[in-house]
Amino acid sequence: AAFLRRAAELTPDPAGRGARALAAARASLEAGAPDAALELLAAAKIGPLNDLQRAQLARTCSQIVFARMRNSDAVPLLLRAADRLERLDAGQAREAYLEALGAAVFAGRLDEQGGLRDVADAARAAPPGPQPPRPMDVLLDGLATRFGEGYVTGAAPLRRALQAFRQDAGRHEDDNMRWLWLTWLVAGDVWDDEAWHELTTRAVRRARDTGALNVLPLALAYRAVVHVHAGEFAEASALIEESDAITKATGNAPLRYGSLLFVAWRGESAEVSAVIQADVDEAAVRGEGRAIGLGDYLIAVLYNGLGRYDVALASAERACEHDDLGGLGFSLAELVEAGALGDAHEVAATALRRLDERATASGTEWALGILARSRALLSEGRAAEELYREAIERLARTRVGVHLARADLVYGEWLRRENRRLDAREQLRTAYEMLHRFGAEAFAERARRELLATGESVRRRMVTREGLTAQEAQIARLAGDGLTNSEIGAELFISPRTVEWHLHKVFTKLAVNSRSQLRGALADT
């Protein structure tokens, strides 16, 4: 970006100067410098630009609007840019339509520009892209189908889009990084935990390698969410801290979902709901409607963990009022659990029918595991037990450890209600150990209470690692698992020397002098 800016300044020809200023603006935006990009766009406007360049300038202006606010303001701007590009460059026009769809997704229920269905219809009328289709072309078609014809019809095209991004990784690394903000949502929408893991891992690595500070905080935040669902809370915390620092430095809209998901799953206090609501209110002021549904989902997770099923039910119902990409399926699962355990069976049954339709269309182990768990909550006798076991078997084959632990938890609760105390203790003990190890304290406490009800004595244990920073705790855990400094560095994208420096501080804080002592020291904190 700096090179292109200087090249523009040194170019005497007005046309060449305008073209280079435009290229510099686009590079500055990718580098996480929107103010510099706007300044360069103003310089580019002065030069004599051709029609294609003016359309590209309009699109870049729209991208900056979206990066700063993530609301519906960018939708009509991107649609107009796409319309102009249709007559000049079909490939770029399709990219602008995909960006418009993404902007409408984030605007969600607050979109005052016509809604996702209208944007999807416009995208479906876009000119055909190049052959063979790029991964983003497959994604555009999939999202247009998803919002134009519904989830069931759109699920298969979206799975094909994810596969297109995952294939031939070396060739499409830049595309993966560039469109992660949408592919990550799509992977969540179809419950594809493998795609989540692969796409975020590659995007973080590529963004670091290329210095793409406009993408890196998003990739870090999305990777953190993957860690939360896997039960790797220390790793999630470290990435959230880094993402927040970069976002603050670049001046773009904050990326709060990862940190809010983290505190909701930790569930240490009902006061967390006030923190979540404050962030949701702030996002709503910006016009980021998707955050409203996600906030209600997070509060439902929090209160299901705390056993306050009435509050969880109300929040989950609000979350399910809008079909947020990558959000509605999760909210339906929370609604089923809150309704089933809170004596709102009719509400839960209605939510289960909606969840069944989506999970069946998805067909992943994660989706079918969540569906089996949800069905079990509303079943009785042998049917219920078979469904609980199916849920555990399916979720054990995924990367989503917190959902596996919750399946063990609700199965154990059911066994206890069936007066099968010995069987209940086994399931509840497994759930408690997993949830406590993750740091999901509200759900762990729910399991502990159930264990007490079976007659087993369980000492309350709290996670306290105030002496270690999030990154130090993460490095300590990996070193305790036997990874070398080089392997830890590759995992966390830092140098082995940095790992060694952090480990020296960890040894001092934990009063240990070898890696073999780390696992025990961490378990005792």
Side-chain angles (χ1 to χ4, degrees), residues 220-467:
L220 291 168
Y222 284 173
R223 181 66 196 164
V225 171
V226 175
H227 282 304
V228 170
H229 283 277
E232 298 161 350
F233 285 14
E235 292 88 334
S237 180
L239 296 184
I240 288 166
E241 287 183 7
E242 184 180 359
S243 175
D244 288 347
I246 297 172
T247 301
K248 183 177 180 179
T250 57
N252 285 331
L255 301 162
R256 297 289 293 157
Y257 178 62
S259 59
L260 295 178
L261 181 75
F262 178 66
V263 298
W265 273 98
R266 283 182 65 92
E268 293 173 341
S269 168
E271 295 174 1
V272 168
S273 65
V275 176
I276 295 172
Q277 191 59 53
D279 278 85
V280 169
D281 292 343
E282 181 182 336
V285 169
R286 293 196 306 269
E288 191 175 333
R290 186 172 183 275
I292 297 174
L294 293 178
D296 283 321
Y297 157 69
L298 295 174
I299 292 174
V301 170
L302 172 67
Y303 280 101
N304 270 334
L306 293 169
R308 293 281 307 279
Y309 303 118
D310 55 337
V311 183
L313 182 80
S315 295
E317 283 187 300
R318 290 193 298 271
C320 293
E321 290 174 355
H322 186 84
D323 187 3
D324 289 305
L325 183 71
L328 180 57
F330 294 104
S331 299
L332 287 169
E334 297 300 328
L335 183 54
V336 172
E337 182 166 330
L341 299 180
D343 295 325
H345 286 205
E346 186 175 341
V347 174
T350 300
L352 178 60
R353 287 192 290 272
R354 297 174 66 189
L355 179 63
D356 191 335
E357 181 181 63
R358 300 171 71 90
T360 302
S362 166
T364 66
E365 291 289 349
W366 184 5
L368 296 176
I370 293 295
L371 177 60
R373 188 189 79 187
S374 301
R375 285 174 171 168
L377 286 164
L378 292 173
S379 301
E380 298 178 352
R382 178 180 293 275
E385 181 155 23
E386 289 177 353
L387 286 166
Y388 281 124
R389 290 185 176 277
E390 177 189 346
I392 291 169
E393 289 172 4
R394 288 188 181 278
L395 292 171
R397 295 193 285 266
T398 71
R399 295 178 176 272
V400 288
V402 291
H403 300 282
L404 171 61
R406 280 182 68 174
D408 282 310
L409 171 58
V410 292
Y411 182 28
E413 290 172 331
W414 179 82
L415 288 168
R416 203 267 302 171
R417 292 194 299 271
E418 293 289 304
N419 292 318
R420 294 167 54 183
R421 292 194 172 191
L422 292 179
D423 293 335
R425 286 175 186 173
E426 180 181 353
Q427 292 300 138
L428 292 169
R429 196 179 300 114
T430 297
Y432 177 69
E433 293 296 332
M434 289 178 67
L435 292 163
H436 175 73
R437 185 174 71 251
F438 297 159
E441 291 305 307
F443 285 102
E445 178 61 15
R446 187 172 133 186
R448 193 185 76 88
R449 289 196 302 267
E450 288 289 325
L451 276 168
L452 292 175
T454 68
E456 180 165 320
S457 177
V458 187
R459 179 173 61 90
R460 180 186 279 111
R461 293 181 291 172
M462 299 300 294
V463 175
T464 55
R465 295 182 187 169
E466 291 83 1

